[in-house]
Amino acid sequence: VFNSTELKDIEFIRSAYYNKLEIFRFSSSLGKFVGYTEYGVKQADYFNKDTAYLSSMKTQKETYCQHNIGIWYSNILSKSVPPTVRLYSTTPVSGHHPAMLVCRVYDFYPKQI
């Protein structure tokens, strides 16, 4: 997860899923594994006790993210897609106002637009 090229602004997350459900994840901002299911909590506890593996996961942010951030930043964050805007007037079902102006915006990137 990132929004700049600075390593301090990056969060490295490695998640494990089963049947589209996240079981556990490693988060560099927490510096440990966190479980989201009963099995995931057991796995997170197991991995958090393995100091060698935990240490290797902590270094992944620097080795993996730092190595690739220039490519990702130039190919993703520098791109934008103009929004599709629909503006219309409608009469509310109930209320005190005779009309309401509605603005809907779709299909844009990045979401900060």
Side-chain angles (χ1 to χ4, degrees), residues 1-2 8 26 33 38 48 51 58 62 64 69 85 98 108:
V1 179
F2 67 99
K8 65 179 176 51
F26 172 81
F33 286 88
E38 183 179 345
N48 286 329
T51 56
K58 289 178 181 180
E62 189 171 330
Y64 183 73
I69 193 66
V85 179
F108 55 92

Side-chain angles (χ1 to χ4, degrees), residues 23-103:
I23 318 169
F24 64 90
R25 79 165 51 167
F26 172 81
S27 169
S28 66
S29 62
L30 297 174
K32 66 178 185 175
F33 286 88
V34 177
Y36 296 105
T37 65
E38 183 179 345
Y39 175 73
V41 169
K42 291 177 184 176
Q43 289 298 109
D45 288 340
Y46 174 79
F47 289 129
N48 286 329
K49 290 176 185 173
D50 186 345
T51 56
Y53 186 60
L54 193 59
S55 177
S56 72
M57 290 303 294
K58 289 178 181 180
T59 61
Q60 287 295 309
K61 176 181 173 180
E62 189 171 330
T63 57
Y64 183 73
C65 297
Q66 187 66 40
H67 176 72
N68 292 299
I69 193 66
I71 299 164
W72 294 336
Y73 192 81
S74 65
N75 286 323
I76 297 171
L77 292 181
S78 62
K79 307 282 190 278
S80 66
V81 176
T84 301
V85 179
R86 182 172 175 219
L87 186 64
Y88 62 95
S89 177
T90 185
T91 304
V93 176
S94 62
H96 304 292
H97 301 289
M100 180 172 59
L101 189 61
V102 178
C103 178

